[in-house]
Amino acid sequence: MSKPTLPQGTRDFSASVVRKRNYIFNTIRSVFEVYGFQPLETPAMENMETLMGKYGEEGDKLIFKILNNGLAEGATPEKALEKAARSRESFEKLLSGKNISDITERALRYDLTIPFARYVAMNHGQLTFPFKRYQIQPVWRADRPQRGRYREFYQCDADVVGSRSLLNEAELTGIYATTFTKLGVPVEIRINSRKILAALAELCGGSDKMVDITVAIDKLDKIGLEKVKAELAQRGLDENQINIIERYLLIAGSNTEKIEQLRALASNNATAAQGLEEINFVLNYQPEDAPLAEVVIDFTLARGLNYYTGIIFEVKAKGANMGSIGGGGRYDDLTGLFGVPNLPGVGISFGVDRIYDVMEELNLFPQEVEASTKVLFFNLGEAECAKAFQLAQELRARGISAELFHEQAKFDKQFKYAEKKGIQYVAILGSEELQNGTCKIKNQSTGEQNTVAQADIASQIQ
Amino acid sequence: MSKPTLPQGTRDFSASVVRKRNYIFNTIRSVFEVYGFQPLETPAMENMETLMGKYGEEGDKLIFKILNNGLAEGATPEKALEKAARSRESFEKLLSGKNISDITERALRYDLTIPFARYVAMNHGQLTFPFKRYQIQPVWRADRPQRGRYREFYQCDADVVGSRSLLNEAELTGIYATTFTKLGVPVEIRINSRKILAALAELCGGSDKMVDITVAIDKLDKIGLEKVKAELAQRGLDENQINIIERYLLIAGSNTEKIEQLRALASNNATAAQGLEEINFVLNYQPEDAPLAEVVIDFTLARGLNYYTGIIFEVKAKGANMGSIGGGGRYDDLTGLFGVPNLPGVGISFGVDRIYDVMEELNLFPQEVEASTKVLFFNLGEAECAKAFQLAQELRARGISAELFHEQAKFDKQFKYAEKKGIQYVAILGSEELQNGTCKIKNQSTGEQNTVAQADIASQIQ
């Protein structure tokens, strides 16, 4: 048989990568928890109708569908297909996508938001609102694989639903600030309000311009001001309107200066005033103990998704060449699509794959995260091995990871194993040590070697 | 839109269940780690050819297949089907399962062993052997859902490959013993050797009887001795042979007594002697610090899977009416199917769903596992709220989970929120407390209420 491979866009994570990823997940999780967010886990597969139509036409195409299978005795994908194709008519319906449900009824989760909405809609009678949940699970997208884009990747979300209070935005800002400070990643937490963008649309003649303006502004980072202006012109905005937008995009300085400039530009606009009030509220609640995070107003921040209605967030790592490593915002209606209207909320997300890359680039993972086995006991004879097994057990009971070489072998081979696995200490227990109740401990990184009483091994290596 | 539902056989896990499950996972993980096992994570989807044909015909049917999707511009399941069905010939091939790869090339992982084998085969040049890995991930099976059987469930495996040493079996026994002692679950770790079963087949006239005998014995627990004998007769064993098997199945007593009885039954059989040597080795290495685990010989233990060749394990909880909560054994060849021959190994698995049920039944989860938010700050005015936010931040920085009620509301409403969420303390900070630098702390479970200095809140609630 030929050498096996992995499906395109998927990855194996070996020990050191799992450890580093878990360090990120555990840090985020611990912050979610101290802010009172509760964990939720939903299944990998959802019913097709739960997912379809929620992510736009492009999104629908990227959802992984699962072939019907095993529901009935002897059912197979072939039988499901055969059933669907039993007549010319039903086969044509199948080909035209009209009874695709004959062959697929379930699909893999595409994000964590829709499964969360589905969960809230199914359980809203039992939940305590405001409901604060976090969720850390993989999602699957049939995207064309490319550098940094995978078909299976983790999302890491926190949402509060059932509250319009801006305190939630303030707390989510605090979660970002605390988490990145704990991870050692210096960040800018950029905030804006969709209401400011709505105000800009009003200044440009009407809220029907909102989509055109946000879509163009969203590209500012990538294509620059001149091309944004060209795109706005193409989208039918006149010189005067583009002028206003240019003045808006050129707003700069400290948070206070930016607010002043916006006030000058949008004086007397009530929507802008509301947006500024939201932003000021969040700025006033900046956490004090998060020195690595800076909360900055970014009026050019638009966020692609249309469902945002209030404060929007985006996090950028300072000193690393990387897109946003977090984002989110306020929405008006989480569960309306599932028959439960009027449930507003606000949420944020961490981009764990990118955070990982930034931490690698800036060398931010603490050394102990990668720690392998702490000590390897050599295997030097039957009685020696029995004693070493017992001593290893004693270390393990104290939480020290220990291995015993699996067979009697030459010193060389056992040293090589310790070296390859990056084990810091080797414990050598030969016939002499067995007799004396001692053990040689060698520090593999310094080369230092000591003979200690067997009872002192733990203190020697800690 | 109608109320959304979950796919059959899948589950949402709410906060308290996630916490309890994580308690089990984290306990198992910590024991794997102190024994020097390294984490591995593989993707949810594997190439079809990696999985198919590895689990028998029944297994193949239970593998969830994923529709081809999104590989090419505008690709959809419909288009894939259309392509497969472009001619009568190719459609008939599709229906007969011969070019099913036109519509599906990937499938969801069915267990953790085959992905592990695939990983080892792909990376064996880079790995250090013996390679000790653990893996805790969900798997998917299109089984008919029923009580306690799900279509998505976690497996939790540890394997050592590249070593024939029985020390590995001894250490895996130690992992079981330590883990269940830590979890507080009293267990019997039952062991046997496939070599003993092979010897029994030899005593009954030939190793060709091995499958008949193990299949029948495997049912002993369920159908009892008489029906096992009837099945053996049906499978063509004669009275004399059935007699030997009956004497074998009636072996009882302490481990030493069982060994003696087997020796009497299989005197001069070299295979039995080998099997007993293996068992004795493992028994001699029983860990001393695991009082809740008892290692017992169970010669009736067969384990369904044919690939086991040496020691086999099964774990039963004492005092709970539940099937095995763990199992495993030694195999000769992990990766031969993937072109890398001669890689023997031994592994064990934890049945987390069943362990969860046993722990619920025996009330073994520590209370702190379920801990929700520790303290809720009431929201009693703008200035009060700002102060409360700051105090909450201070508690969070110390690792104490704290919430601030999201809006100014009547006491009643805020108390009710604390009650519903099971929050132990409420912190009341009104205008008077704000002025005095104090805070009222009420213990919700005792009703006790104290006014303390704001700096003393943490010590008051710990």
Side-chain angles (χ1 to χ4, degrees):
Chain A
M1 137 144 213
S2 62
K3 208 179 164 183
T5 58
L6 270 179
Q8 263 198 308
T10 68
R11 298 165 286 176
D12 287 324
F13 296 120
S14 61
S16 104
V17 182
V18 171
R19 292 221 165 88
K20 288 177 184 167
R21 287 169 58 89
N22 283 345
Y23 174 71
I24 299 174
F25 289 134
N26 291 338
T27 303
I28 297 172
R29 184 182 294 118
S30 71
V31 177
F32 286 162
E33 290 270 347
V34 294
Y35 276 81
F37 284 71
Q38 311 286 313
L40 171 69
E41 287 178 19
T42 64
M45 46 181 84
E46 294 278 352
N47 289 323
M48 195 75 87
E49 64 263 31
T50 299
L51 302 187
M52 297 299 279
K54 310 299 191 298
Y55 306 104
E57 207 178 310
E58 275 313 299
D60 279 359
K61 279 189 199 156
L62 301 185
I63 292 172
F64 278 113
K65 286 104 185 162
I66 296 165
L67 269 173
N68 286 349
N69 202 344
L71 282 166
E73 202 64 45
T76 60
E78 294 79 12
K79 290 210 175 146
L81 269 171
E82 198 184 332
K83 187 190 151 211
R86 205 158 277 165
S87 70
R88 182 159 185 88
E89 188 195 18
S90 72
F91 185 61
E92 268 164 11
K93 251 162 101 188
L94 178 67
L95 291 188
S96 68
K98 274 181 200 133
N99 58 354
I100 189 82
S101 71
D102 283 356
I103 65 159
T104 169
E105 285 159 1
R106 281 152 298 196
L108 292 180
R109 142 180 94 214
Y110 179 86
D111 72 357
L112 302 179
T113 305
I114 292 298
F116 173 51
R118 192 262 312 140
Y119 174 83
V120 171
M122 276 176 71
N123 299 282
H124 68 106
Q126 286 77 55
L127 300 176
T128 305
F129 291 101
F131 180 57
K132 302 162 88 170
R133 87 85 173 78
Y134 72 88
Q135 194 168 351
I136 302 178
Q137 292 192 283
V139 302
W140 295 270
R141 295 183 183 182
D143 250 328
R144 188 178 293 274
Q146 50 182 267
R147 201 176 155 275
R149 188 185 291 175
Y150 303 101
R151 294 185 154 190
E152 171 179 71
F153 58 97
Y154 268 73
Q155 288 194 335
C156 198
D157 288 11
D159 288 79
V160 189
V161 295
S163 167
R164 293 184 200 279
S165 165
L166 285 163
L167 264 184
N168 299 306
E169 277 85 336
E171 298 222 309
L172 292 172
T173 311
I175 287 180
Y176 269 146
T178 310
T179 304
F180 285 112
T181 296
K182 279 195 172 202
L183 289 174
V185 180
V187 291
E188 258 185 16
I189 302 168
R190 301 181 180 175
I191 63 168
N192 193 10
S193 169
R194 277 284 180 143
K195 297 200 173 71
I196 305 274
L197 293 164
L200 179 63
E202 287 170 17
L203 293 177
C204 292
S207 55
D208 58 314
K209 301 275 188 305
M210 175 89 175
V211 172
D212 287 329
I213 294 174
T214 51
V215 167
I217 287 183
D218 211 19
K219 300 180 185 166
L220 183 65
D221 267 358
K222 272 189 206 150
I223 64 177
L225 181 60
E226 287 313 310
K227 286 192 178 158
V228 168
K229 283 164 68 182
E231 172 153 352
L232 288 166
Q234 218 175 13
R235 286 173 177 270
L237 280 88
D238 66 26
E239 213 187 305
N240 185 33
Q241 292 165 336
I242 294 177
N243 221 330
I244 294 171
I245 294 170
E246 180 169 13
R247 276 175 60 204
Y248 175 87
L249 294 177
L250 290 175
I251 288 176
S254 68
N255 286 339
T256 317
E257 286 161 355
K258 284 176 182 166
I259 291 172
E260 272 165 23
Q261 289 166 53
L262 185 80
R263 283 215 172 102
L265 185 68
S267 56
N268 300 323
N269 181 296
T271 316
Q274 268 178 32
L276 282 180
E277 208 176 305
E278 291 178 351
I279 289 173
N280 268 320
F281 187 97
V282 173
L283 290 178
N284 281 336
Y285 274 93
Q286 277 192 63
E288 288 153 21
D289 54 344
L292 293 188
E294 191 186 355
V295 184
V296 299
I297 297 173
D298 179 0
F299 289 129
T300 73
L301 179 63
R303 305 280 302 159
L305 293 167
N306 272 324
Y307 58 76
Y308 290 125
T309 54
I311 290 285
I312 47 181
F313 302 98
E314 202 159 275
V315 183
K316 294 275 275 186
K318 291 180 184 173
N321 183 20
M322 179 63 75
S324 72
I325 57 176
R330 174 165 286 279
Y331 42 86
D332 272 345
D333 179 13
L334 178 72
T335 50
L337 283 166
F338 297 113
V340 179
N342 300 323
L343 213 46
V346 54
I348 56 170
S349 187
F350 287 83
V352 171
D353 282 302
R354 284 180 170 183
I355 294 171
Y356 182 98
D357 290 346
V358 167
M359 291 185 64
E360 279 286 27
E361 188 184 332
L362 304 181
N363 205 12
L364 295 176
F365 285 108
Q367 222 180 341
E368 62 268 26
V369 169
E370 279 203 73
S372 161
T373 302
K374 187 90 175 181
V375 54
L376 173 72
F377 283 89
F378 276 20
N379 188 333
L380 300 170
E382 206 170 318
E384 291 84 351
C385 173
K387 187 69 194 172
F389 181 86
Q390 187 201 320
L391 294 173
Q393 288 285 356
E394 285 171 21
L395 294 184
R396 289 162 179 164
R398 295 177 182 221
I400 300 168
S401 64
E403 288 185 58
L404 168 56
F405 197 70
H406 65 122
E407 59 185 10
Q408 291 172 40
K410 290 194 179 147
F411 266 58
D412 239 27
K413 195 172 174 188
Q414 307 199 37
F415 269 122
K416 196 161 241 165
Y417 178 82
E419 197 183 308
K420 274 191 181 170
K421 282 196 77 171
I423 298 175
Q424 198 186 345
Y425 293 97
V426 301
I428 301 167
L429 197 140
S431 55
E432 201 187 313
E433 288 81 12
L434 185 63
Q435 211 167 0
N436 300 340
T438 60
C439 185
K440 280 200 195 105
I441 302 288
K442 185 177 176 199
N443 184 327
Q444 289 276 87
S445 37
T446 65
E448 201 188 341
Q449 184 170 306
N450 292 310
T451 300
V452 300
Q454 285 167 5
D456 296 338
I457 298 175
S459 55
Q460 179 70 21
I461 66 179
Q462 267 178 326
Chain B
M1 133 141 217
S2 62
K3 208 180 164 182
T5 58
L6 270 179
Q8 263 198 308
T10 68
R11 299 166 285 177
D12 287 324
F13 296 120
S14 62
S16 104
V17 182
V18 171
R19 291 219 166 90
K20 288 177 184 168
R21 287 168 58 88
N22 283 344
Y23 173 71
I24 299 174
F25 289 134
N26 291 338
T27 304
I28 298 173
R29 185 182 292 117
S30 71
V31 178
F32 286 161
E33 291 269 349
V34 294
Y35 276 81
F37 284 72
Q38 311 286 314
L40 171 70
E41 286 179 19
T42 65
M45 47 181 84
E46 293 279 351
N47 289 323
M48 195 74 87
E49 64 264 29
T50 299
L51 302 187
M52 297 299 277
K54 309 300 192 297
Y55 307 102
E57 208 178 311
E58 274 314 299
D60 279 0
K61 280 189 198 155
L62 301 184
I63 292 172
F64 278 113
K65 288 104 186 161
I66 296 164
L67 270 172
N68 287 348
N69 203 345
L71 283 164
E73 201 66 45
T76 60
E78 295 79 11
K79 289 210 176 146
L81 269 171
E82 198 185 331
K83 187 189 151 210
R86 206 156 278 166
S87 70
R88 183 161 183 86
E89 188 195 18
S90 72
F91 185 60
E92 268 163 11
K93 249 163 103 188
L94 178 67
L95 291 188
S96 66
K98 276 181 198 133
N99 58 353
I100 190 82
S101 71
D102 281 358
I103 66 160
T104 169
E105 284 160 1
R106 279 153 299 198
L108 291 180
R109 137 182 96 212
Y110 178 86
D111 72 357
L112 303 180
T113 305
I114 294 298
F116 172 51
R118 192 263 310 141
Y119 174 82
V120 172
M122 276 175 73
N123 299 282
H124 68 106
Q126 286 77 54
L127 300 176
T128 304
F129 291 100
F131 181 56
K132 302 162 88 171
R133 87 85 173 78
Y134 72 87
Q135 195 168 352
I136 302 177
Q137 291 192 284
V139 301
W140 295 269
R141 295 183 182 181
D143 251 325
R144 189 178 293 275
Q146 49 181 270
R147 199 176 157 274
R149 189 185 291 173
Y150 303 101
R151 294 185 154 188
E152 172 179 71
F153 58 96
Y154 268 73
Q155 289 194 335
C156 199
D157 289 10
D159 288 81
V160 189
V161 295
S163 166
R164 294 184 199 279
S165 165
L166 285 163
L167 264 184
N168 299 304
E169 277 85 336
E171 299 223 307
L172 293 171
T173 311
I175 287 180
Y176 268 146
T178 310
T179 305
F180 285 111
T181 296
K182 280 195 173 203
L183 289 174
V185 179
V187 291
E188 258 185 16
I189 302 167
R190 300 181 181 176
I191 62 167
N192 193 11
S193 169
R194 277 285 181 144
K195 296 200 173 72
I196 305 276
L197 293 165
L200 180 63
E202 287 170 15
L203 294 177
C204 293
S207 54
D208 57 316
K209 301 277 188 302
M210 176 89 176
V211 172
D212 287 328
I213 293 174
T214 51
V215 167
I217 287 183
D218 212 19
K219 299 180 184 166
L220 183 65
D221 267 358
K222 273 190 204 150
I223 63 177
L225 182 59
E226 288 313 310
K227 285 191 178 159
V228 168
K229 283 163 69 182
E231 173 153 350
L232 288 167
Q234 219 174 12
R235 287 175 176 268
L237 281 88
D238 67 27
E239 212 188 304
N240 184 34
Q241 292 165 338
I242 295 178
N243 221 330
I244 294 171
I245 294 169
E246 181 170 12
R247 277 174 61 203
Y248 175 87
L249 294 178
L250 290 175
I251 287 176
S254 68
N255 286 341
T256 317
E257 286 161 355
K258 283 177 183 166
I259 290 172
E260 273 165 23
Q261 290 166 52
L262 185 81
R263 283 216 172 103
L265 184 69
S267 57
N268 300 323
N269 181 296
T271 317
Q274 269 178 32
L276 281 180
E277 208 177 308
E278 290 178 352
I279 289 174
N280 267 320
F281 187 98
V282 174
L283 289 178
N284 281 335
Y285 275 92
Q286 277 190 64
E288 289 153 23
D289 54 345
L292 292 188
E294 192 185 354
V295 184
V296 299
I297 296 172
D298 179 0
F299 289 130
T300 73
L301 179 63
R303 304 280 304 159
L305 294 168
N306 273 322
Y307 58 76
Y308 290 125
T309 54
I311 290 285
I312 48 181
F313 303 98
E314 202 160 275
V315 183
K316 294 275 277 186
K318 292 179 184 174
N321 182 19
M322 180 63 75
S324 71
I325 57 177
R330 174 165 286 278
Y331 42 85
D332 272 346
D333 179 14
L334 178 73
T335 50
L337 284 166
F338 296 114
V340 180
N342 301 324
L343 214 46
V346 54
I348 56 170
S349 187
F350 286 83
V352 171
D353 282 301
R354 286 179 168 184
I355 294 171
Y356 182 97
D357 289 346
V358 167
M359 291 185 66
E360 279 288 24
E361 189 185 332
L362 304 181
N363 204 12
L364 295 175
F365 285 108
Q367 224 181 340
E368 63 268 24
V369 169
E370 280 202 73
S372 159
T373 302
K374 186 92 175 179
V375 54
L376 173 71
F377 283 88
F378 277 19
N379 187 334
L380 301 169
E382 206 171 316
E384 291 84 351
C385 174
K387 187 70 194 172
F389 181 86
Q390 187 201 320
L391 294 173
Q393 288 286 355
E394 286 171 20
L395 294 185
R396 289 163 178 163
R398 295 175 183 223
I400 299 169
S401 64
E403 289 185 57
L404 168 55
F405 197 71
H406 65 121
E407 59 186 10
Q408 290 171 41
K410 291 195 177 143
F411 266 57
D412 239 27
K413 195 171 174 187
Q414 306 199 37
F415 269 122
K416 195 161 244 166
Y417 178 82
E419 198 183 306
K420 275 191 179 169
K421 281 196 78 170
I423 298 175
Q424 200 187 344
Y425 293 96
V426 300
I428 301 166
L429 198 139
S431 56
E432 200 185 314
E433 288 82 10
L434 186 63
Q435 211 166 1
N436 301 339
T438 60
C439 184
K440 279 201 195 105
I441 302 289
K442 186 176 175 199
N443 182 329
Q444 289 277 87
S445 37
T446 65
E448 201 188 343
Q449 185 171 306
N450 292 309
T451 299
V452 301
Q454 286 167 4
D456 297 336
I457 297 175
S459 55
Q460 179 70 20
I461 67 178
Q462 265 178 326

